[in-house]
């Protein structure tokens, strides 16, 4: 699943470590999210959306068929 | 975070009990391994020493975290980071599968040389299957 975390983080001049601290995850998790190697859980997606002041749908881009096939 | 602080405090208490009663535990170990062979005694004492070293290490780690908010938060994040948890879950699943396959292969190979070893490995496989079923039932009821 694609997301706009990197784009929004850079626009707001927030470092990966600052975002990680705010979301209570490691910096490595932020890196993996930004690279699309890891899909956030619903709780983390909610926290991230809250941090950027938007909805989950605006932050995470769901590519229709990707999850229907299973991971 | 307060919940986590309580959890760490509990760990400190348990570790302190283990470290504080090391001599008593050692005495108990010597008592229970009285008639055992030198090899058996060596193994159990070695395991005991390893266990105590881990207890001292975790005691120091948890005690420091309990008195330093930054360390406590860092520890909380490391333990609760969902990616770390997902990695641990995947690692556990894959490694247990690999272990079962290797044990089964070893059991087959051992069958050609030593029946005792073969039966021991088969017993280990059966035990692993039973534990797997029990844990699976537990989580099926819990989730």
């Amino acid at each position: 699943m694609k997301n706009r975390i990197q784009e929004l983080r850079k626009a707001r001049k927030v470092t990966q470590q600052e975002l990680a601290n705010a979301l209570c995850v490691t910096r490595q998790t932020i890196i993996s999210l930004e690279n699309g190697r890891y899909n956030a859980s619903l709780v983390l997606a909610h926290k991230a959306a809250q941090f950027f002041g938007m909805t989950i749908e605006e932050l995470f881009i769901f590519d229709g068929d990707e999850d229907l096939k299973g991971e | 975070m307060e919940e986590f602080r309580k959890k760490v405090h509990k760990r400190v208490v348990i570790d302190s009990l283990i470290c504080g009663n090391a001599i008593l535990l050692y005495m108990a170990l010597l008592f229970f391994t009285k008639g055992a062979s030198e090899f058996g005694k060596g193994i159990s004492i070695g395991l005991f020493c390893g266990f105590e070293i881990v207890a001292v290490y975790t005691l120091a780690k948890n005690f420091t975290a309990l008195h330093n908010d930054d360390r406590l938060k860092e520890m909380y994040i490391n333990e609760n980071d969902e990616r770390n948890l997902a990695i641990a879950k995947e690692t556990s699943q894959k490694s247990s599968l690999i272990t079962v396959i290797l044990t089964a292969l070893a059991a087959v190979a051992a069958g050609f040389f030593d029946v005792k070893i073969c039966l021991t490995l088969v017993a280990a496989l059966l035990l692993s299957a039973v534990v797997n079923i029990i844990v699976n039932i537990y989580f099926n009821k819990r989730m």
Side-chain angles (χ1 to χ4, degrees):
Chain A
M1 192 184 292
K2 287 174 190 162
N3 63 69
R4 296 172 58 210
I5 292 176
Q6 190 173 35
E7 170 202 333
L8 292 163
R9 182 181 62 75
K10 283 184 177 168
R12 287 168 199 220
K13 293 187 170 55
V14 177
T15 64
Q16 288 177 330
Q17 188 60 60
E18 284 166 349
L19 180 60
N21 288 343
L23 303 181
C24 277
V25 293
T26 58
R27 194 171 77 90
Q28 193 56 49
T29 300
I30 301 297
I31 294 169
S32 295
L33 279 171
E34 289 185 352
N35 291 338
R37 284 201 308 263
Y38 175 70
N39 284 334
S41 71
L42 189 56
V43 176
L44 184 56
H46 196 272
K47 277 187 191 172
Q50 238 177 5
F51 180 85
F52 290 112
M54 47 180 58
T55 63
I56 292 176
E57 289 90 338
E58 285 170 325
L59 188 59
F60 293 90
I61 302 130
F62 179 63
D63 284 348
D65 55 272
E66 66 178 287
D67 276 355
L68 299 175
K69 294 173 193 162
E71 285 191 325
Chain B
M1 191 58 82
E2 278 313 302
E3 280 299 309
F4 186 66
R5 187 184 291 277
K6 280 180 194 165
K7 201 172 158 185
V8 174
H9 187 262
K10 250 186 214 170
R11 286 183 200 165
V12 168
V13 172
I14 293 168
D15 282 338
S16 308
L17 284 173
I18 294 170
C19 297
N21 294 308
I23 294 169
L24 282 177
L25 290 171
Y26 185 70
M27 292 297 201
L29 184 75
L30 285 184
F31 178 76
F32 287 115
T33 56
K34 224 174 190 174
S37 64
E38 282 300 308
F39 179 75
K41 270 185 192 172
I43 290 280
S44 50
I45 289 170
L47 282 173
F48 172 80
C49 291
F51 184 68
E52 283 296 331
I53 289 167
V54 171
V56 169
Y57 170 74
T58 52
L59 175 65
K61 196 175 119 188
N62 289 322
F63 189 80
T64 317
L66 209 54
H67 294 87
N68 183 333
D69 285 350
D70 290 339
R71 291 287 288 272
L72 189 72
K73 191 174 181 191
E74 193 187 333
M75 201 170 151
Y76 174 80
I77 288 174
N78 279 328
E79 282 186 26
N80 293 283
D81 177 62
E82 62 172 54
R83 183 175 159 274
N84 282 350
L85 294 175
I87 290 171
K89 198 174 126 191
E90 279 291 309
T91 308
S92 158
Q93 281 174 351
K94 298 285 184 293
S95 57
S96 59
L97 179 69
I98 293 167
T99 308
V100 164
I101 292 169
L102 289 178
T103 312
L105 288 174
V108 171
F112 295 107
F113 309 104
D114 194 326
V115 179
K116 260 187 196 171
I117 295 173
C118 176
L119 289 176
T120 309
L121 290 171
V122 170
L125 275 175
L126 284 175
L127 180 70
S128 148
V130 169
V131 170
N132 194 294
I133 290 167
I134 292 169
V135 173
N136 194 295
I137 291 169
Y138 171 75
F139 281 111
N140 255 310
K141 284 186 179 169
R142 223 183 138 195
M143 286 185 188

